[in-house]
C-alpha cells in the first residue's frame, strides 16, 4: 500500500504545534479574519516575495477576486489554458468574462507563449497562466506580451507554493498571484483556503473589500462583495505549516530526482523542468502511451496513482457552451491521454519510489503490439509532439 498522499503522516509529525495553534484559536473566541489571518498574510507575502497577501476561503475565490480586482468583467476575454483544474475556467466565468484557451507547450505542459498573440482580440483583458503540477509557466514572454498589449497577468499558482522562475517566486511576477490551500496542496489547510498576493496596493485593497461584503467599516458597504473570508483556524494551521514548507519542498524535489533516476530507460517520459525553473512537484507526472495499463497495475498493487487531468476543461460537458471541440488543443488533448501521476508527498519514504517504478517496469515489459503505432521511446514521443506543434 502506498497512498497517493498521506495527510495523517504529515499531521503526526507536527501534531503538538498544530493542536496548540487550533486550541489557541478556539479559546480566543475569534474565528474569522483575526490575528492569525493577519499574521499569515504578512508571512505568506514575505514567502512569495510580494508586498501584500489577502487570505480568502479557497483558491477559486482567490482567482475570482483577483479577476474582479483587476477590473475583468462582463464582455471581457481572458486567455488561459485548458490543461488545468476546472476552477481556473470557472473563476473566469464567475467574473462574467469568457475564457479563451491556448494550447500548452509539449515539454513544460504550461501555457505556450508563442500562441498568445494570435488569441488576443479587442476584448482581451487578462492572461491567466497556470503553473501546472508546480512548474511555473514561461513568465518572461508572457509578461512581455501582456505589457505590449496592456493586459493584466494573473498567475494561477494554486499548485506552485514556493516554485520559482529565474529566482522569482510564483505569484510575484504577474500583477496578481492566486494560491489554494486545499488540504492536499503543498501548503494545505485543514479545510478550504486560498490567497491572493500582489505588489499593487489598489488590487490588495479591492480584494480586502470584495472578500468581506465590500465593507470598509462594519455595515458600511462601499461595493457589492462576497463572503470569501478566511477562518482563523485555517490560518493558524497554515502559520504552523509555513515553517515547514521549504523542508517539505526539498523532500518533494529529492523524491522527484529518485523517480527520474529509476525511470531512466523505461518508456515513461519524465518531467523536463527548464533551466529557469524551481519545480515544487505538487504532482509528479510521467507520460506514457501505456498509461491506462500502468494505472491499473499500480492500483491493483495498492499504489495510489492518478491523472491530472484526464479530460481537459475545453472538452468537459459543463463547458460545452464555450464551443470548443476535440482537436482544438492538440497538445493539451495528447497530455490528457498520456499523463500518469505517481505518489509524491514529503513523508513518502524515498525507498518506496522503487516499488512504484517496479510496477511501471512490469507494465513496460508487456508486449506493445496492441497499444499503439506510435513510437515507444519517450524521446521520440517528445519529438513527435514538437514536430506536431511546428506543423
Ligand atoms: C490549478 C488550480 N487552480 C485553482 C484551484 C482551485 O483551488 P480551490 O480548490 O482551493 O478552490 C486548484 C485546486 O484545486 C487548482 O489546482
Amino acid at each position: 500500500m502506498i497512498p497517493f498522499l498521506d495527510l495523517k503522516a504529515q499531521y503526526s509529525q507536527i501534531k503538538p504545534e498544530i493542536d496548540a495553534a487550533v486550541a489557541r484559536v478556539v479559546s480566543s473566541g475569534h474565528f474569522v479574519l483575526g490575528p492569525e489571518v493577519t499574521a499569515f498574510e504578512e508571512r505568506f507575502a514575505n514567502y512569495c516575495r510580494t508586498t501584500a497577501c489577502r487570505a480568502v476561503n479557497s483558491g477559486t475565490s482567490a482567482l475570482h477576486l483577483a479577476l474582479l480586482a483587476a477590473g475583468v468583467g462582463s464582455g471581457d476575454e481572458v486567455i488561459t489554458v485548458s490543461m488545468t483544474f476546472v476552477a481556473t475556467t470557472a473563476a473566469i466565468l464567475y467574473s462574467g468574462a469568457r475564457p479563451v484557451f491556448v494550447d500548452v507547450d509539449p515539454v513544460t505542459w504550461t501555457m505556450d507563449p508563442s500562441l498568445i498573440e494570435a488569441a488576443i482580440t479587442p476584448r482581451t483583458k487578462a492572461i491567466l497562466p497556470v503553473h501546472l503540477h508546480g512548474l511555473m509557466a514561461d513568465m518572461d514572454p508572457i509578461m512581455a506580451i501582456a505589457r505590449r498589449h496592456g493586459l493584466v497577468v494573473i498567475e494561477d499558482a494554486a499548485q506552485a507554493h514556493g516554485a520559482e522562475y529565474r529566482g522569482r517566486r510564483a505569484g510575484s511576477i504577474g500583477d496578481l498571484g492566486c494560491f489554494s490551500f486545499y488540504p492536499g496542496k503543498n501548503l494545505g489547510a485543514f479545510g478550504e483556503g486560498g490567497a491572493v498576493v500582489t505588489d499593487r496596493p489598489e488590487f490588495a485593497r479591492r480584494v480586502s473589500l470584495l472578500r468581506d461584503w465590500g465593507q470598509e467599516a462594519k455595515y458600511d458597504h462601499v461595493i457589492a462583495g462576497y463572503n470569501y473570508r478566511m477562518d482563523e483556524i485555517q490560518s493558524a494551521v497554515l502559520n504552523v505549516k509555513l515553517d515547514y514548507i521549504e523542508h517539505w519542498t526539498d523532500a518533494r524535489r529529492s523524491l522527484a530526482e529518485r523517480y527520474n533516476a529509476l525511470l531512466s530507460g523505461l518508456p515513461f517520459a519524465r518531467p523536463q523542468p527548464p533551466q529557469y525553473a524551481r519545480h515544487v512537484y505538487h504532482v509528479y507526472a510521467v507520460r506514457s502511451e501505456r498509461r491506462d495499463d500502468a494505472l491499473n497495475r499500480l492500483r491493483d498493487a495498492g499504489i495510489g496513482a492518478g491523472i491530472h487531468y484526464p479530460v481537459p476543461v475545453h472538452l468537459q460537458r459543463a463547458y460545452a457552451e464555450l464551443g470548443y471541440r476535440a482537436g482544438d488543443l492538440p497538445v493539451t488533448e495528447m497530455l490528457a491521454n498520456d499523463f500518469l501521476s505517481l505518489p509524491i508527498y514529503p513523508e513518502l519514504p524515498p525507498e518506496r519510489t522503487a516499488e512504484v517504478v517496479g510496477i511501471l517496469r512490469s507494465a513496460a515489459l508487456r508486449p506493445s503490439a496492441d497499444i499503439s503505432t506510435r513510437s515507444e521511446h519517450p524521446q521520440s514521443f517528445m519529438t513527435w509532439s514538437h514536430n506536431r506543434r511546428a506543423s
Side-chain angles (χ1 to χ4, degrees):
M1 267 290 289
I2 304 179
F4 188 65
L5 99 163
D6 189 348
L7 295 176
K8 286 187 192 165
Q10 188 183 73
Y11 173 54
S12 71
Q13 287 181 5
I14 52 174
K15 186 175 184 316
E17 281 177 89
I18 291 275
D19 290 358
V22 171
R24 198 168 59 235
V25 173
V26 173
S27 53
S28 79
H30 199 150
F31 294 107
V32 180
L33 288 187
E36 292 286 348
V37 173
T38 306
F40 175 69
E41 289 177 336
E42 194 180 322
R43 297 181 66 218
F44 194 65
N46 274 339
Y47 180 73
C48 296
R49 303 184 196 136
T50 58
T51 52
C53 167
R54 293 295 178 268
V56 292
N57 63 349
S58 73
T60 309
S61 302
L63 287 164
H64 183 193
L65 295 194
L67 287 156
L68 295 184
V72 174
S74 183
D76 294 333
E77 291 176 356
V78 177
I79 296 173
T80 190
V81 289
S82 169
M83 180 43 70
T84 180
F85 183 61
V86 288
T88 317
T89 296
I92 295 168
L93 291 166
Y94 295 170
S95 78
R98 182 187 148 78
V100 173
F101 298 118
V102 293
D103 215 342
V104 293
D105 177 275
V107 173
T108 66
W109 312 334
T110 58
M111 181 178 279
D112 183 341
S114 72
L115 303 175
I116 296 173
E117 275 186 307
I120 295 175
T121 74
R123 287 183 296 279
T124 307
K125 194 75 179 256
I127 306 177
L128 207 170
V130 177
H131 303 324
L132 191 75
H133 299 171
L135 175 66
M136 286 182 69
D138 192 0
M139 292 304 292
D140 279 350
I142 293 173
M143 293 307 294
I145 294 164
R147 294 302 170 244
R148 234 179 0 257
H149 294 269
L151 306 175
V152 174
V153 175
I154 298 171
E155 296 174 56
D156 184 339
Q159 303 184 0
H161 316 73
E164 290 179 11
Y165 177 90
R166 302 191 199 288
R168 297 173 71 189
R169 283 267 157 102
S172 72
I173 301 180
D175 299 286
L176 301 118
C178 300
F179 290 86
S180 164
F181 306 119
Y182 186 73
K185 292 291 194 275
N186 288 20
L187 181 62
F190 280 7
E192 306 281 350
V196 178
V197 297
T198 182
D199 285 330
R200 305 265 294 264
E202 73 278 19
F203 289 162
R205 185 182 121 77
R206 281 187 70 79
V207 173
S208 293
L209 285 173
L210 287 164
R211 75 174 166 184
D212 188 20
W213 295 116
Q215 297 185 94
E216 201 141 60
K218 200 164 173 67
Y219 303 134
D220 178 16
H221 303 268
V222 293
I223 54 173
Y226 301 83
N227 177 0
Y228 283 178
R229 299 171 298 221
M230 181 174 264
D231 290 337
E232 283 285 279
I233 286 181
Q234 302 310 340
S235 277
V237 168
L238 292 168
N239 274 323
V240 172
K241 289 195 179 187
L242 195 52
D243 288 336
Y244 295 89
I245 180 81
E246 281 306 284
H247 170 65
W248 289 337
T249 299
D250 288 344
R252 285 176 183 274
R253 285 168 55 78
S254 75
L255 286 165
E257 268 174 39
R258 266 191 183 243
Y259 274 132
N260 286 341
L262 290 164
L263 285 162
S264 163
L266 293 181
F268 293 90
R270 296 160 288 178
Q272 300 179 27
Q275 279 297 318
Y276 67 63
R278 182 196 192 218
H279 196 323
V280 296
Y281 294 102
H282 173 58
V283 170
Y284 181 91
V286 294
R287 293 180 51 203
S288 172
E289 346 181 291
R290 296 158 179 256
R291 189 271 303 277
D292 292 339
D293 179 47
L295 180 60
N296 288 335
R297 283 170 187 250
L298 289 167
R299 287 181 174 166
D300 288 349
I303 294 172
I307 303 172
H308 300 88
Y309 295 92
V311 180
V313 182
H314 72 286
L315 300 180
Q316 294 282 352
R317 279 172 294 171
Y319 301 108
E321 71 195 24
L322 295 174
Y324 289 88
R325 291 206 184 80
D328 284 347
L329 300 169
V331 179
T332 295
E333 291 166 32
M334 178 177 65
L335 294 173
N337 287 329
D338 300 336
F339 266 161
L340 173 62
S341 310
L342 307 182
I344 193 163
Y345 48 92
E347 302 76 22
L348 177 66
E351 62 281 3
R352 302 213 69 186
T353 52
E355 284 173 55
V356 178
V357 176
I359 303 291
L360 296 182
R361 191 170 292 117
S362 72
L365 290 174
R366 186 168 79 97
S368 63
D370 57 329
I371 296 176
S372 162
T373 52
R374 269 196 263 151
S375 163
E376 295 292 6
H377 193 271
Q379 208 46 54
S380 44
F381 195 23
M382 287 302 186
T383 313
W384 175 82
S385 1
H386 269 302
N387 289 344
R388 182 162 175 163
R389 181 162 68 124
S391 63

